[in-house]
Amino acid sequence: IDANLCREGCQECVLACNRENGLEGGTRPVDVQWIRKVDLKERATGRTLSLPVMCQHCAEPPCVDVCPTKASFKRADGIVLVDRHTCIGCRYCMLACPYKARSMVHEPITQQKPEVPRGKGCVESCTLCVHRIDRGERNTACAEACPTRAILFGDLNDPDSEISRRIASLPTTQLRADLRLDLGVRYTGL
């Protein structure tokens, strides 16, 4: 995610995620969101930034470590997911996530999208549009919707991918790198 390209006030990534995944939420902080925009201000310079924050798809995900039923799990490709059939709604994963990327479904859900099952009493978060990836598509809804291409999605394990080349050419930052979780989401321009 290139913070230099992300525009303040733009919510296209949030809205695209909501549409793609059948989230009824809007763009207010109280709504269910798998991606949210965060505004930052550098105290020393006054510089402001607006950037999307979602599940960081950690290589060492604390949400997986604390899940008593193993409903939170990491796939071989690095995508961190929640199995709604195994989730008991204990919310340990929500407490363990330093990025506040998970939310609890409190109400019954109607008019769901078949490829994105959701359920009352389950925890959920960004899936990196896993249903698209499993169909062979190569982009997430948020990246596709971004008008400035601030969000770039790809395979970090493929050295020839556009994302790997971009990361190799620009300095990147992981949010809370001090936690040493080896995040799948990288930021530049912070």
Side-chain angles (χ1 to χ4, degrees):
I1 297 173
D2 189 335
N4 295 315
L5 297 176
C6 190
R7 295 191 307 224
E8 190 175 336
C10 179
Q11 294 284 330
E12 291 304 314
C13 58
V14 174
L15 297 172
C17 177
N18 289 349
R19 282 189 303 271
E20 181 73 24
N21 296 294
L23 303 178
E24 61 283 334
T27 57
R28 300 172 305 148
V30 295
D31 294 327
V32 171
Q33 294 176 323
W34 292 359
I35 184 172
R36 69 187 188 282
K37 289 290 291 285
V38 175
D39 295 323
L40 304 174
K41 183 175 183 176
E42 193 173 345
R43 289 183 185 172
T45 65
R47 176 182 176 223
T48 60
L49 296 171
S50 180
L51 57 123
V53 176
M54 69 288 282
C55 175
Q56 300 292 297
H57 296 277
C58 310
E60 304 295 330
C63 58
V64 170
D65 291 341
V66 300
C67 183
T69 64
K70 304 299 179 209
S72 289
F73 66 99
K74 184 177 84 165
R75 292 181 5 156
D77 61 6
I79 298 174
V80 178
L81 298 172
V82 177
D83 181 342
R84 73 180 183 103
H85 299 293
T86 310
C87 179
I88 59 172
C90 70
R91 298 176 232 176
Y92 289 171
C93 62
M94 291 175 68
L95 293 171
C97 178
Y99 307 101
K100 297 181 181 178
R102 294 196 162 200
S103 58
M104 178 76 170
V105 179
H106 293 284
E107 301 297 326
I109 298 175
T110 59
Q111 300 178 358
Q112 293 188 54
K113 295 194 168 203
E115 65 275 4
V116 187
R118 302 174 62 218
K120 180 180 177 181
C122 294
V123 174
E124 58 186 20
S125 67
C126 167
T127 65
L128 289 177
C129 293
V130 72
H131 57 284
R132 286 177 166 219
I133 304 307
D134 289 348
R135 284 194 309 246
E137 295 180 37
R138 298 183 178 264
N139 215 354
T140 60
C142 59
E144 197 171 83
C146 182
T148 63
R149 291 209 58 202
I151 301 174
L152 181 62
F153 176 78
D155 184 353
L156 289 173
N157 294 321
D158 176 2
D160 296 325
S161 69
E162 183 181 356
I163 189 78
S164 292
R165 289 191 311 272
R166 172 108 43 108
I167 286 176
S169 69
L170 296 170
T172 61
T173 303
Q174 296 180 44
L175 298 182
R176 292 294 317 266
D178 60 310
L179 297 175
R180 296 187 173 115
L181 299 173
D182 190 15
L183 307 182
V185 178
R186 308 295 168 85
Y187 292 85
T188 188
L190 293 183

